[in-house]
């Protein structure tokens, strides 16, 4: 009997804040696993390797494809395809759902609320975690898709010119602000590739979307998802990743095909980078953190090779990779997730532990770590609301020295190498406040996303999120409410338990029936659960995902069980527990000297700026191999 894992107390945790009817249904194993289809996609040959594979395969010894790149997403609830197979959902009545762009304009306008506590780093590290965990197949997510559903000037292409099974264009309503100013009526949208597209299933089996990256929190965005990509990223000397060097600084390696990858460059000599993830050039702060992660790897590799001169390139590389991943997991679970999902909730559901300096042996080989479609295609995307449209440039003394407009720099990372921008944007990450978590979204991403240099407008990320959730036929908001322990809404008023009257009125105006309300719309207008940045349904989905991602990862850094875990000594593990986001920024900026301890939180009296060297750091001397053989003996 296979068990796919459930964060143990999430439904009761939600009940503490919201009071569903006693008839609330508690979910029991109605989730769907991706494992059956996975065989079609990859067939790994597993050896008892000491280190993680690049694609995530062989992590689970019984089901080696669990969590592997190129496998399908899992689901909490069955898909809602209109035809039961692959057609996007329609309303209960059979009518079309409201246009995704109308939902975006109605529910997610740009009203600016700045977060009083959290810095831009929370938003930006969230995108790093996302790019580590999932990438829907066939979606470009930063550059224009080769498949066109609209003309370049925003008109719907006639049906004989499009691929009907791929195109699912986002249509603009009459009176849309973009139509009024530029006559645009269509935004390109290409459907995600599924196991049906790859002929992995046939007949009437519903399509399941494929994720092309390793599902684990394993820095696949740094190291690549295949041995081939990994090979392109390495120097094969001293355990280092490849770099480019300009102006005495270390940058990510240069792409060969600049204009195809960095679509907004003005000359093919501009920097445009190569990394483990194809989205690396999408926006400046993302590229900045990818650079920090690359520099951290090479910093670790240098230190390890100094300590162990007898280690070969591969050993240094893998040990540095292992430490880098462990720090990333530590920061994700103990520094970042508590701010989003609440400390009490995380402890109660076993996502973090009071370890008292010991290992935490909670790996469960029956838990499937596969990314849940409702997580990747709705819940985690909710944090698109945290994005700010203008990035400050910040000096060492935290003065604002100008700012840059996000939509001027999509897919054009050259800005990082100009002047002192790299450090000024690094300090901005830990100084500038992010947007407060509300339903409101910055127009830089709802009106100007991926705007080309000569265009007035761009795409709409919220409309894209809604359309993507339809493309993936996610279960409805009402179904997920029930899954998460809230009561099923029979009338729109029943949503009032967790949604404000104004928003319920908007939902009632948009949708014909409570069952038609989409997960991506309903969950994004819920009141926030205390101590968290999300409403109850998103909290339930995100907690479930990060629970599975931890418990289902044999190499999770805190696991000390012999023969299963990553193999850190207890002393090494306790050093890793000193890692912090603040120290990462300090160690890998060009010349960042001051930083507060909690870089995800703004500078205050209780979180003051201080010299970088005062921040806790990992003592790498614990990685010096006890039995030292001189180099000449190992040859
Ligand atoms: C400036 C910042 C960001 C930009 C420009 C951006 C843009 C995008 C775009 C274009 C997509 C693909 C849309 C589609 O075609 O379906 C996407 C997907 C996604 N984004 Fe963001 N995003 C940003 C930040 C974030 C943050 C902060 C988070 C979460 C904390 C996040 C979570 C996600 C997730 C989960 C996906 C789905 C990935 C997949 O499975 O394919 N993003 N984003």
């Amino acid at each position: 009997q296979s068990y796919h894992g459930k964060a143990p107390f999430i439904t009761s945790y939600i009940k503490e804040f919201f009071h569903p009817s006693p008839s609330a249904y508690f979910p029991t194993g109605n989730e769907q696993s991706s494992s059956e289809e996975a065989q079609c996609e990859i067939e790994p040959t597993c050896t008892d390797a000491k280190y993680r594979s690049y694609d995530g395969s062989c992590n689970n010894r019984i089901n080696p494809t669990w969590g592997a790149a190129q496998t399908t997403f899992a689901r909490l609830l069955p898909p809602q395809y209109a035809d039961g197979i692959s057609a996007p959902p329609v309303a209960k009545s059979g009518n079309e759902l409201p246009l995704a762009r109308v939902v975006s304009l109605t529910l997610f306008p740009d009203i600016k609320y700045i977060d009083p506590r959290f810095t831009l780093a929370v938003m930006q590290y969230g995108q790093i975690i996302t790019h580590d965990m999932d990438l829907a197949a066939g979606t470009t997510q930063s550059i224009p898709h080769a498949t066109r559903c609209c003309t370049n000037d925003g008109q719907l292409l006639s049906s004989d010119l499009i691929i009907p099974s791929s195109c699912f264009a986002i249509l603009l309503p009459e009176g849309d602000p973009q139509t009024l100013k530029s006559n645009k009526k269509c935004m390109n949208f290409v459907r995600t590739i599924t196991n049906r597209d790859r002929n992995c299933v046939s007949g009437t089996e519903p399509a399941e979307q494929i994720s092309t990256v390793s599902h684990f929190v394993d820095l696949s965005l740094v190291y690549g998802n295949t041995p081939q990509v990994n090979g392109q990223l390495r120097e094969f000397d001293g355990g280092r990743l490849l770099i480019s060097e300009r102006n005495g600084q270390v940058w990510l390696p240069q792409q060969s095909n600049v204009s195809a990858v960095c679509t907004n460059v003005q000359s093919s000599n501009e920097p445009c980078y190569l990394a483990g993830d194809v989205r690396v050039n999408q926006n400046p702060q993302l590229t900045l953190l990818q650079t920090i992660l690359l520099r951290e790897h090479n910093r670790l590799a240098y230190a390890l090779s100094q300590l162990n001169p007898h280690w070969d390139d591969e050993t240094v590389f893998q040990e540095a990779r292992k430490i880098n991943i462990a720090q990333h997991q530590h920061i994700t679970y103990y520094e970042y997730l508590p701010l989003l999902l609440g400390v009490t909730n995380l402890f109660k559901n076993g996502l973090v532990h009071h370890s008292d300096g010991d290992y935490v042996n909670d790996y469960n080989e029956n838990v499937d770590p596969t990314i849940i479609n409702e997580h990747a295609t709705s819940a985690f995307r909710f944090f698109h609301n945290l994005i700010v449209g203008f990035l400050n440039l910040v000096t060492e003394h935290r003065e604002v020295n100008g700012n840059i407009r996000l939509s001027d720099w999509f897919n054009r990372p050259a800005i990082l190498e100009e002047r002192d921008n790299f450090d000024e944007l690094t300090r901005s990450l830990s100084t500038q406040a992010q947007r407060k978590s509300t339903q409101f979204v910055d127009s830089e991403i709802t009106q100007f996303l991926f705007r080309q240099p000569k265009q007035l407008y761009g795409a709409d990320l919220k409309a894209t999120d809604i359309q993507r959730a339809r493309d993936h036929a996610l279960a409805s908001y009402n179904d997920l409410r029930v899954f998460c322990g809230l009561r099923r809404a029979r009338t729109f008023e029943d949503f009032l338990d967790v949604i404000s009257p104004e928003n319920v009125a908007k939902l009632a105006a948009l949708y014909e029936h409570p069952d038609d309300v989409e997960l991506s719309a309903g969950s994004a207008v819920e009141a926030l659960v205390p101590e968290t940045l999300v409403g109850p349904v998103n909290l339930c989905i995100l907690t479930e995902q990060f629970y599975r991602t931890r418990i289902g990862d044999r190499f999770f850094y805190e696991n000390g069980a012999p023969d299963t875990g990553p193999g850190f000594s207890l002393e090494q593990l306790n050093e890793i527990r000193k890692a912090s986001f603040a120290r990462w920024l300090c160690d890998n900026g060009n010349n960042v000297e001051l930083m507060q301890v909690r870089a995800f939180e703004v500078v205050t009296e209780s979180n003051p700026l201080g010299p970088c060297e005062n921040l806790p750091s990992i003592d790498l001397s614990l990685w010096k191999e006890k039995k030292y053989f001189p180099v000449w003996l190992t040859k």
Side-chain angles (χ1 to χ4, degrees):
Q1 182 70 34
S2 89
Y3 163 69
H4 301 298
K6 173 130 331 109
F9 297 110
I10 188 59
T11 46
S12 61
Y13 187 77
I14 282 166
K15 276 157 119 343
E16 281 174 27
F17 294 104
F18 303 96
H19 306 288
S21 72
S23 64
Y25 157 74
F26 286 86
T28 47
N30 50 353
E31 315 97 29
Q32 302 199 333
S33 155
S34 63
S35 54
E36 295 83 354
E37 290 85 40
Q39 285 309 317
C40 164
E41 294 140 5
I42 58 164
E43 284 180 37
T45 335
C46 301
T47 54
D48 222 3
K50 191 172 164 199
Y51 303 107
R52 290 172 185 275
S53 62
Y54 296 113
D55 68 357
S57 63
C58 304
N59 187 305
N60 188 297
R61 286 172 166 155
I62 308 163
N63 295 288
T65 60
W66 275 6
Q70 304 294 347
T71 59
T72 49
F73 287 102
R75 286 185 194 261
L76 294 173
L77 294 174
Q80 300 294 302
Y81 295 114
D83 59 357
I85 301 172
S86 66
V90 288
K92 253 172 104 89
S93 64
N95 292 335
E96 292 291 319
L97 289 166
L99 294 178
R101 173 73 173 166
V102 171
V103 178
S104 166
L105 292 170
T106 311
L107 296 179
F108 311 117
D110 182 0
I111 302 177
K112 292 188 183 4
Y113 290 101
I114 294 302
D115 198 303
R117 182 175 165 205
F118 298 123
T119 60
L120 262 189
V122 175
M123 181 283 289
Q124 200 49 65
Y125 193 48
Q127 194 183 25
I128 287 284
I129 296 170
T130 291
H131 291 189
D132 190 344
M133 294 168 83
D134 42 90
L135 172 57
T139 60
T140 54
Q141 307 208 351
S142 51
I143 57 172
H145 205 288
T147 303
R148 305 303 302 167
C149 316
C150 318
T151 59
N152 285 344
D153 63 349
Q155 308 304 308
L156 185 63
L157 273 165
S158 63
S159 53
D160 52 323
L161 292 176
I162 61 165
I163 309 170
S165 57
S166 294
C167 269
F168 186 29
I170 297 175
L171 302 180
L172 275 54
E174 255 178 57
D176 188 293
Q178 297 204 17
T179 321
L180 292 179
K181 287 234 171 90
S182 69
N183 199 33
K184 181 169 163 182
K185 292 183 182 141
C186 176
M187 292 179 186
N188 207 45
F189 184 99
V190 181
R191 297 194 69 181
T192 302
I193 292 169
T194 70
N195 54 359
R196 290 186 69 87
D197 299 324
R198 289 196 181 166
N199 296 323
C200 293
V201 290
S202 55
T204 55
E205 266 199 64
E208 294 295 354
Q209 289 70 29
I210 291 163
S211 180
T212 60
V213 302
S214 144
H215 298 225
F216 297 96
V217 172
D218 59 358
L219 287 182
S220 55
L221 77 165
V222 174
Y223 299 106
N225 288 281
T226 62
Q228 292 72 23
V229 171
N230 179 262
Q232 291 162 13
L233 299 168
R234 283 172 65 171
E235 202 177 304
F236 291 107
D237 189 18
R240 289 184 296 271
L241 285 163
L242 271 178
I243 58 162
S244 24
E245 256 182 304
R246 278 182 289 266
N247 299 327
Q249 297 299 342
V250 168
W251 307 103
L252 290 152
Q254 178 74 359
Q255 266 284 351
S256 47
N257 201 349
V258 173
S259 52
V261 175
C262 293
T263 43
N264 279 359
V265 293
Q266 297 188 351
S267 118
S268 55
N269 296 326
E270 278 188 26
C272 173
Y273 303 116
L274 183 69
D277 187 83
V278 291
R279 295 161 284 191
V280 54
N281 297 295
Q282 189 210 59
N283 72 74
Q285 297 284 43
L286 170 70
T287 315
L288 187 148
L289 281 189
Q290 289 248 192
T291 312
I292 298 264
L293 288 164
L294 166 111
R295 291 180 180 182
E296 177 66 8
H297 174 93
N298 281 359
R299 194 185 72 80
L300 293 166
Y302 177 76
L304 292 178
S305 53
Q306 293 294 302
L307 290 163
N308 299 292
H310 57 294
W311 281 3
D312 60 8
D313 168 73
E314 180 67 11
T315 309
V316 178
F317 179 82
Q318 295 299 350
E319 289 294 319
R321 173 177 174 239
K322 199 171 91 176
I323 298 171
N324 212 7
I325 296 169
Q327 297 185 106
H328 172 53
Q329 291 191 328
H330 180 68
I331 295 170
T332 301
Y333 276 80
Y334 285 87
E335 197 178 347
Y336 168 84
L337 286 181
L339 309 178
L340 267 67
L341 308 183
V343 180
T344 321
N345 172 37
L346 293 193
F347 275 112
K348 209 162 178 177
N349 281 296
L351 278 80
V352 296
H353 295 268
H354 294 292
S355 60
D356 296 325
D358 212 340
Y359 292 115
V360 182
N361 292 336
D362 58 353
Y363 170 61
N364 182 344
E365 64 182 11
N366 297 316
V367 172
D368 184 350
T370 298
I371 299 297
I372 301 163
N373 216 332
E374 289 89 338
H375 165 90
T377 314
S378 183
F380 212 17
R381 292 183 186 221
F382 173 63
F383 294 122
H384 283 148
N385 66 347
L386 307 179
I387 297 168
V388 300
F390 284 79
L391 307 171
N392 288 343
L393 299 167
V394 179
T395 67
E396 195 63 76
H397 295 288
R398 299 323 191 241
E399 281 141 6
V400 177
N401 195 17
N403 59 40
I404 61 168
R405 183 180 174 186
L406 196 56
S407 65
D408 284 340
W409 299 100
F410 287 127
N411 282 308
R412 193 171 175 217
I415 184 80
L416 294 179
E417 296 195 27
E418 284 170 20
R419 302 184 324 118
D420 194 21
N421 287 349
F422 191 85
D423 279 358
E424 295 197 341
L425 287 169
T426 302
R427 296 188 204 102
S428 166
L429 272 182
S430 60
T431 310
Q432 188 176 350
Q434 68 176 8
R435 278 175 77 119
K436 203 168 173 352
S437 183
T438 64
Q439 74 198 79
F440 307 117
V441 181
D442 202 293
S443 54
E444 280 298 290
I445 54 161
T446 54
Q447 304 289 2
F448 303 107
L449 182 74
F450 306 142
R451 182 172 58 87
Q452 300 290 302
K454 286 188 190 116
Q455 279 177 346
L456 192 54
Y457 286 109
D460 174 352
L461 187 53
K462 280 308 280 190
T464 307
D465 288 344
I466 293 157
Q467 194 82 337
R468 187 66 65 199
R470 292 179 187 175
D471 170 23
H472 291 205
L474 297 187
S476 70
Y477 172 60
N478 223 350
D479 287 344
L480 263 296
R481 278 173 59 95
V482 174
F483 179 88
C484 292
L486 296 171
R487 73 173 169 207
R488 177 173 293 286
R490 308 273 170 208
T491 64
F492 280 100
E493 287 68 44
D494 290 345
F495 289 140
L496 286 168
D497 56 354
V498 295
I499 299 180
S500 70
E502 295 89 314
N503 281 317
V504 170
K506 284 182 180 170
L507 292 176
L510 284 167
Y511 296 94
E512 293 173 3
H513 189 278
D515 285 345
D516 295 336
V517 175
E518 299 157 279
L519 178 62
S520 52
S523 66
V525 293
E526 288 181 329
L528 304 193
V529 176
E531 265 193 47
T532 79
L533 299 190
V534 284
V537 167
N538 278 338
L539 183 66
C540 161
I541 299 169
L542 292 165
T543 304
E544 184 63 40
Q545 180 62 64
F546 283 105
Y547 173 78
R548 294 184 187 189
T549 299
R550 174 190 173 112
I551 311 294
D553 178 4
R554 181 161 66 86
F555 292 105
F556 196 78
Y557 78 106
E558 288 190 297
N559 180 9
D563 300 331
T564 62
F568 290 118
S569 72
L570 205 49
E571 294 71 29
Q572 290 172 338
L573 171 59
N574 285 315
E575 282 305 306
I576 282 163
R577 287 179 169 142
K578 293 181 187 163
S580 67
F581 195 76
R583 188 78 209 201
W584 259 0
L585 297 185
C586 279
D587 285 344
N588 302 296
N590 293 344
N591 193 20
V592 174
E593 289 174 359
L594 298 172
M595 191 58 64
Q596 70 272 32
V597 175
R598 299 192 305 277
F600 290 131
E601 293 176 52
V602 291
V603 174
T604 55
E605 260 175 39
S606 64
N607 190 30
L609 277 183
C612 278
E613 58 269 22
N614 291 357
L615 294 170
S617 68
I618 294 182
D619 177 4
L620 289 170
S621 71
L622 288 169
W623 274 261
K624 187 173 168 69
E625 231 170 20
K626 296 267 164 20
K627 274 192 225 147
Y628 174 70
F629 297 101
V631 178
W632 53 268
L633 259 184
T634 64
K635 294 260 173 191

